[in-house]
Amino acid sequence: MAVLDFQERVLSGIGKIPFQEMAKAGIDSDEIKKQIITILNPFFENENLLNDFALDSLPPEADNCMLLKQNPNSFALFKNVLEIYRDAKKTNPEACYEACAAMEFEVSEGLKIYWSTVHAEASKDDLGLSDFAFESFRQIGTIIEACIQPILKELRFILKVSRNKEFDFTKGVEFGGIVDELKSSDKLSRHLTFTKDDILLNQVRNIAQHLNFQIQQNMINVSYKNGEKKASLSRGELDNLLEDILSTFNAVRLARVIFNVDNILGISNYINTRREHRDDQILFSIISGLMAKGYQCSSLVTQSEYIQIELIEQQTPTRKRALAAMHYLSNVWKYSQKDRLKFSYLDKAGAYLVESILDKESGLKLINKEISVEDLFRNLSIKETHTKISIFTRVFNWLKSIWS
């Protein structure tokens, strides 16, 4: 499989989310928002925050929730993990918020690794059994070590809070010890073993990281616990194991995201360092929100100093729609800290309606509410290239009428 460039990776991932297809088909963004809220409402305590973030950040999470519902075991894990967070909040809310904030950096770093894994993914269908096992275990080890482990570290702290026990963020615990502690919770015990042999999650990690497998008679034989334990997996069973590990990550991550959004005001008080995000991690969330609102992202270019985004209006262009898109895109600058954001806005026919450049100084003023989006739009320039005079005149008159 050819390696996808940045734009293709982000947009192809977003294209798999059904809400964007609904918006592209002309379904009103208010209706899409209602559906997202309907899906996620059973798992939120703060309906106001759900309403505020529904289109901005939560379309991928609503999609993830629907996918998890197709796997009863993973969906149960998601609900159980969310319940553990809620139990901790009831016991000691401030300690719970502090625990969430303490692990924010590690969890965020794990998401960077997750994106790298996604981008490097290629079909394993044509691989021989040995190469298939190697590649599958490589992915399994990466997902467990980089993505699942930080969330389970946090969950260990959260479980201690719910049990009103003391804990120390500075004292590290080996992954096996973390799994053992989490096993003591009846909400997690049955979710930490895998395959027909009930291999513990930390042992699956060890098998994968140390490549403790051999191919014999068309089977994948693994050993763990210093060679004391052995098991055999078929190709299909190893493939299912990879799916189970990914589903486990999606379940615990979704529970964490929902709890964090639901309690963002409390948790943010304990976060005092800015995290470095991957561009794709930021833009996936931001562009998915835009597309759920009925704007098609036709071009996305990111460089070290600037981001260029081209949006095609899928609905009837209005002043409100144009201002909403520009205001939403200011989040790109807020999270990425780029020097410039170049924004192009087109109608369905592909005619350039407006083009604006948001520089760092303007972005800061906008975020600090020193200027409004309307102030920025007063200085918009009309892009004449690639448009005929008749189209330019029509667009100019349209802009004059809505921004005069």
Side-chain angles (χ1 to χ4, degrees):
M1 181 183 73
V3 176
L4 299 177
D5 65 21
F6 178 83
Q7 175 181 335
E8 290 175 321
R9 292 199 305 264
V10 176
L11 296 185
S12 64
I14 292 173
K16 298 174 184 177
I17 300 174
F19 299 111
Q20 278 74 57
E21 292 303 312
M22 292 167 61
K24 191 174 180 181
I27 297 176
D28 186 79
S29 59
D30 289 339
E31 178 60 33
I32 295 174
K33 182 176 181 177
K34 288 179 183 177
Q35 294 198 33
I36 293 172
I37 290 174
T38 298
I39 293 168
L40 296 178
N41 188 61
F43 312 108
F44 269 81
E45 294 179 330
N46 193 324
E47 293 185 2
N48 290 331
L49 285 173
L50 172 58
N51 183 72
D52 291 343
F53 285 94
L55 281 179
D56 289 351
S57 305
L58 295 175
E61 310 311 332
D63 181 57
N64 190 18
C65 186
M66 291 190 295
L67 289 174
L68 287 173
K69 282 184 177 181
Q70 299 174 22
N71 185 327
N73 187 58
S74 297
F75 193 59
L77 172 60
F78 153 66
K79 292 190 293 184
N80 289 350
V81 170
L82 185 57
E83 190 174 340
I84 291 173
Y85 277 102
R86 296 258 163 82
D87 289 343
K89 179 185 173 183
K90 290 176 183 176
T91 302
N92 189 335
E94 294 305 317
C96 177
Y97 299 153
E98 185 181 7
C100 292
M103 290 302 301
E104 180 65 16
F105 178 79
E106 279 195 51
V107 173
S108 180
E109 290 297 296
L111 288 175
K112 295 179 184 180
I113 302 298
Y114 173 76
W115 276 100
S116 294
T117 303
V118 170
H119 297 163
E121 169 66 0
S123 173
K124 295 185 281 293
D125 292 345
D126 296 330
L127 295 179
L129 187 57
S130 182
D131 291 338
F132 171 82
F134 174 84
E135 184 61 20
S136 297
F137 278 125
R138 182 189 66 80
Q139 291 180 319
I140 288 170
T142 300
I143 294 297
I144 296 176
E145 179 71 15
C147 305
I148 297 177
Q149 182 174 217
I151 299 178
L152 294 192
K153 282 183 181 179
E154 176 176 296
L155 201 56
R156 171 178 169 265
F157 295 139
I158 296 297
L159 190 61
K160 284 182 177 294
V161 173
S162 70
R163 293 170 171 175
N164 211 18
K165 292 185 177 181
E166 294 183 357
F167 58 89
D168 185 348
F169 295 125
T170 64
K171 291 184 179 179
V173 177
E174 291 185 355
F175 191 39
I178 294 172
V179 172
D180 285 340
E181 285 193 45
L182 295 178
K183 270 198 315 175
S184 66
S185 168
D186 57 0
K187 294 183 177 70
L188 297 174
S189 57
R190 68 186 182 90
H191 297 289
L192 297 174
T193 58
F194 298 83
T195 78
K196 59 183 182 295
D197 298 283
D198 290 331
I199 305 175
L200 281 169
L201 180 64
N202 57 297
Q203 295 296 342
V204 175
R205 190 277 306 265
N206 291 343
I207 292 168
Q209 285 200 323
H210 299 293
L211 298 176
N212 290 333
F213 72 90
Q214 291 182 332
I215 307 300
Q216 293 179 336
Q217 296 181 344
N218 215 32
M219 293 293 290
I220 304 160
N221 297 326
V222 301
S223 61
Y224 54 103
K225 282 195 172 182
N226 296 321
E228 296 177 10
K229 296 278 189 176
K230 298 183 183 300
S232 294
L233 303 173
S234 67
R235 185 180 184 121
E237 287 170 337
L238 179 55
D239 196 42
N240 290 338
L241 175 59
L242 174 56
E243 290 295 323
D244 288 343
I245 295 299
L246 286 169
S247 192
T248 297
F249 169 58
N250 287 332
V252 297
R253 191 195 67 82
L254 179 61
R256 184 182 188 275
V257 168
I258 288 179
F259 184 80
N260 272 252
V261 172
D262 216 8
N263 298 276
I264 190 170
L265 299 179
I267 295 171
S268 62
N269 290 331
Y270 290 93
I271 298 177
N272 52 22
T273 57
R274 180 181 174 272
R275 293 167 292 149
E276 292 293 332
H277 295 273
R278 286 179 62 127
D279 286 335
D280 42 16
Q281 181 182 337
I282 302 165
L283 292 174
F284 184 90
S285 176
I286 292 175
I287 299 303
S288 66
L290 275 169
M291 294 178 74
K293 293 179 180 180
Y295 305 95
Q296 180 185 351
C297 184
S298 57
S299 179
L300 171 62
V301 178
T302 182
Q303 299 293 339
S304 59
E305 296 181 350
Y306 73 89
I307 293 177
Q308 179 177 319
I309 297 177
E310 186 176 272
L311 297 181
I312 297 177
E313 178 61 82
Q314 297 297 300
Q315 301 176 13
T316 301
T318 63
R319 182 176 189 273
K320 182 179 178 181
R321 293 278 301 167
L323 288 175
M326 188 61 188
H327 181 75
Y328 193 71
L329 281 175
S330 68
N331 290 329
V332 174
W333 183 89
K334 179 179 179 181
Y335 289 110
S336 68
Q337 299 286 300
K338 302 292 185 182
D339 290 337
R340 297 186 309 281
L341 166 66
K342 184 176 180 181
F343 166 54
S344 299
Y345 184 58
L346 294 73
D347 65 13
K348 286 185 179 180
Y352 284 80
L353 302 180
V354 296
E355 182 177 73
S356 180
I357 296 178
L358 177 64
D359 58 26
K360 183 170 286 190
E361 181 180 359
S362 299
L364 274 173
K365 289 181 178 179
L366 184 65
I367 291 169
N368 294 329
K369 298 182 179 179
E370 296 174 16
I371 59 174
S372 67
V373 176
E374 288 85 349
D375 293 330
L376 290 175
F377 266 92
R378 291 193 185 102
N379 298 317
L380 285 174
S381 60
I382 309 300
K383 186 167 184 177
E384 300 183 49
T385 56
H386 310 300
T387 59
K388 297 180 181 179
I389 293 298
S390 58
I391 295 177
F392 171 74
T393 301
R394 174 173 59 83
V395 172
F396 178 79
N397 290 336
W398 175 72
L399 283 171
K400 185 177 179 181
S401 67
I402 65 174
W403 280 297
S404 58

